[in-house]
Amino acid sequence: MNNLPRTREIAENLVQRLRLLAQPQRLMVLACLLEGEKSVGQIEAETGIGQPTLSQQLAELRRAEIVITRKEARQVIYSIKDSMEEMRIRLICAACGPEFDTEQLSGVLRRKKAPPCYDTGRHGGLFRTYRHRCLSGIDTCCNEFVQK
C-alpha cells in the first residue's frame, strides 16, 4: 500500500479527512446520501437534523469535495461526489461500526465497477456511468464527467 502515512503531511491530511467524517451529523447525512441523491428537505426529514445545522454540515461536505450539488428548479439536490467517496464512507462505516462484520468489510473492498457506458441524458452532457441502483430506479447513475 503506497498511501500509508509515511510523512507528517500525509498523516495530517488523513487525520483532517477522518475528523471531517467523525462528526455524527455529517456521517448521518452521508449515510442518507449513500441511498442516492436527495434534496435538503429529504435529508432533513430522514435524518431529523434541523435546517440551520444541516446547511452548515452540507457546506462542510461541499468544501471538502465529498458531496456535489445540482439545481432542479428551486431545489438544490445533493449527492456523493463519486463512487470512490462512496466506497470510502462505506469502508469506514463497515470497519468502525458497532457491529463490525468482516464479511461486509470484504464485500466493500471487493466491490468492482461495471464497465462504463455513456449517457447524454438528464444532465445534458456526456458522462461516464457505472452500474448501480439509484433512487429513480434506473440501474445507472452519472459518476464522472467526460470532456468532449
Side-chain angles (χ1 to χ4, degrees):
M1 294 177 65
N2 294 334
N3 56 354
L4 292 174
R6 297 189 189 271
T7 67
R8 175 94 181 179
E9 181 183 1
I10 293 171
E12 285 176 0
N13 287 337
L14 180 58
V15 167
Q16 197 60 18
R17 182 66 159 209
L18 290 171
R19 277 190 191 130
L20 183 75
L21 297 176
Q23 203 280 349
Q25 292 165 327
R26 282 194 287 266
L27 201 52
M28 289 169 59
V29 168
L30 291 170
C32 180
L33 291 175
L34 283 173
E35 298 169 359
E37 63 182 18
K38 300 197 174 165
S39 69
V40 175
Q42 290 172 312
I43 297 168
E44 182 180 13
E46 289 184 31
T47 62
I49 302 169
Q51 186 67 38
T53 303
L54 180 59
S55 293
Q56 290 171 350
Q57 301 310 327
L58 287 167
E60 282 291 322
L61 293 169
R62 269 195 325 268
R63 276 192 292 278
E65 298 180 354
I66 294 175
V67 299
I68 55 172
T69 61
R70 69 178 176 84
K71 284 274 202 178
E72 191 171 280
R74 292 171 43 187
Q75 288 189 325
V76 178
I77 307 297
Y78 286 84
S79 61
I80 294 176
K81 179 182 169 188
D82 57 29
S83 59
M84 280 305 295
E85 289 298 336
E86 180 182 317
M87 188 166 67
R88 285 182 186 121
I89 296 160
R90 289 184 189 280
L91 181 63
I92 288 171
C93 292
C96 301
E99 298 169 5
F100 179 76
D101 182 351
T102 55
E103 193 171 307
Q104 181 184 9
L105 181 59
S106 295
V108 172
L109 293 172
R110 282 193 312 265
R111 188 171 158 224
K112 294 180 182 173
K113 291 181 188 174
C117 60
Y118 295 93
D119 174 25
T120 56
R122 63 188 171 135
H123 299 289
L126 186 61
F127 285 82
R128 182 176 294 138
T129 61
Y130 298 94
R131 284 205 158 304
H132 64 284
R133 176 72 57 199
C134 71
L135 273 185
S136 63
I138 301 170
D139 281 340
T140 58
C141 286
C142 300
N143 283 337
E144 179 181 339
F145 187 71
V146 178
Q147 296 291 335
K148 290 182 182 181

